[in-house]
Amino acid sequence: MPEKNVEFKVVGILDRTGTQDDGTIFVPLKTLQKIFDRPDELTTIGIKLKKDADSVRLEEKLYKLPDVQVVSLTQVKDTIMRLISTAKVMVLSIALIAILIAMVGVINTILMSVHERFQEIGILKTIGAMPWDVFKLIWIETLILCAIGGVLGVGWHSSFPGQRGF
């Protein structure tokens, strides 16, 4: 017990079952109530049924008891699955926002590059470059910038896995 310094006498060791119960210590309820000064109070009890037991019937009987809250493993599993689904949606949303911000940054960089090289583009057009040629030139520059940025980002992140950002 982390909060109490109590010694127990081991009266038996159960055979291994290969389940989570292998790491469980079983203590009589009255003993725990006495240790924690909670006589006749019960906060939680876990019930493990045999494979052939009718869990639905047991749950129905337990629901009828006053002041008893029943939470089945199915309910716990459903709650956890809903939380996981919500987390997936949130992570996907954050990833989409990050991609949109990156796209705006790339578009801004390329627009500034085109604006700064307006004279060069004019010279290219005067010597015979078609609009498609200028577009290809800008598009190739964009792809190179994105590839270099992606490689540097992945390299930085894998070099410093605990770090976030620069």
Side-chain angles (χ1 to χ4, degrees), residues 47-166:
I47 300 173
K48 183 175 180 179
L49 302 176
K50 293 180 180 177
K51 290 181 182 178
D52 57 345
D54 186 3
S55 61
V56 175
R57 201 172 99 224
L58 175 64
E59 276 185 47
E60 288 171 0
K61 285 185 178 181
L62 291 174
Y63 279 126
K64 293 177 186 175
L65 295 174
D67 297 328
V68 173
Q69 180 184 9
V70 179
V71 180
S72 69
L73 259 127
T74 306
Q75 291 171 324
V76 172
K77 178 184 153 205
D78 290 343
T79 302
I80 290 172
M81 294 309 288
R82 279 195 304 271
L83 288 171
I84 289 172
S85 296
T86 303
K88 283 181 183 178
V89 168
M90 289 176 65
V91 168
L92 182 62
S93 300
I94 291 169
L96 287 174
I97 291 169
I99 289 171
L100 286 174
I101 291 170
M103 286 173 56
V104 168
V106 169
I107 290 170
N108 183 47
T109 303
I110 297 306
L111 286 175
M112 290 306 297
S113 173
V114 168
H115 182 70
E116 289 172 357
R117 295 175 18 195
F118 220 61
Q119 287 181 337
E120 292 175 34
I121 293 171
I123 292 171
L124 284 172
K125 284 186 160 190
T126 57
I127 61 173
M130 301 301 288
W132 177 248
D133 297 324
V134 175
F135 179 78
K136 282 194 304 189
L137 180 70
I138 294 169
W139 187 246
I140 289 170
E141 180 182 339
T142 303
L143 290 176
I144 290 171
L145 279 172
C146 289
I148 290 172
V151 167
L152 288 176
V154 169
W156 177 268
H157 185 67
S158 60
S159 296
F160 305 103
Q163 299 288 323
R164 299 263 187 246
F166 287 96

